[in-house]
Amino acid sequence: MINRAVLVGRLTRDIELRYTSGGAAVSSFTLAVNRQFKSKNGERESDFVECSIWRKPAENLANFTHKGSLIGIDGRIQTRNYDDKDGKRVYVTEVVVDNFSLLDSKGSGQSNNKSEGNNKPAKQQSAKPSDPFAGSNPIDISDDDLPF
């Protein structure tokens, strides 16, 4: 049997990281995924998919994303149910994320400097090494010198 879900979308809010009583990190979030077609009004609609992620990937996702971040996820669809405080049965269908990819370019979007409750100074970005091929002169190589 196959149960795989692969989605690309934007986070609808900042990730809130929680921990179980056993110390495992967990986070639930909603991913807004655009549909491939437009509505009768000519507008693109979105689906809002509930997702959860566990352990170290949950911590990484919370640390490196923010509301509006474009991410790709890979996981499985899972259903569960529980009784709420009024005794009503609640059914939940969600994607349990195994892997994620950050798809925003480093310079785009807003900064992810989460300072609430965090008095640590932000890490200084190290200077990127310059591109060794930028601005160099073209190299004249004959076809006989190439190994292919």
Side-chain angles (χ1 to χ4, degrees):
M1 311 230 189
I2 299 173
N3 180 357
R4 295 308 302 161
V6 178
L7 301 170
V8 173
R10 295 197 179 274
L11 294 173
T12 61
R13 64 183 184 280
D14 285 346
I15 300 290
E16 291 183 36
L17 190 61
R18 302 180 314 275
Y19 291 88
T20 65
S21 58
V26 62
S27 182
S28 297
F29 60 94
T30 304
L31 195 65
V33 181
N34 286 343
R35 293 183 180 170
Q36 294 298 317
F37 53 88
K38 294 182 180 180
S39 67
K40 293 178 185 177
N41 310 5
E43 297 177 6
R44 192 166 302 273
E45 295 179 356
S46 297
D47 292 304
F48 296 87
V49 182
E50 296 298 319
C51 304
S52 63
I53 188 167
W54 289 83
R55 296 174 190 79
K56 188 64 175 174
E59 293 174 336
N60 289 337
L61 186 65
N63 288 331
F64 296 110
T65 61
H66 53 82
K67 177 181 177 179
S69 291
L70 182 65
I71 65 169
I73 63 168
D74 171 34
R76 66 187 185 280
I77 296 174
Q78 180 174 293
T79 59
R80 59 185 169 89
N81 62 66
Y82 62 92
D83 294 328
D84 68 4
K85 61 184 177 185
D86 299 328
K88 183 179 175 186
R89 177 73 38 130
V90 177
Y91 295 91
V92 178
T93 301
E94 64 189 348
V95 175
V96 178
V97 177
D98 295 325
N99 299 300
F100 71 90
S101 296
L102 305 175
L103 302 177
D104 279 327
S105 62
K106 287 186 180 183
S108 72
Q110 42 183 299
S111 155
N112 188 27
N113 194 1
K114 296 182 179 181
S115 60
E116 301 147 9
N118 184 3
N119 294 328
K120 296 179 186 175
K123 279 187 176 179
Q124 293 292 327
Q125 294 282 339
S126 60
K128 292 183 182 178
S130 62
D131 184 357
F133 300 105
S136 63
N137 296 327
I139 300 172
D140 187 25
I141 298 176
S142 74
D143 289 343
D144 295 334
D145 293 334
L146 297 175
F148 46 88

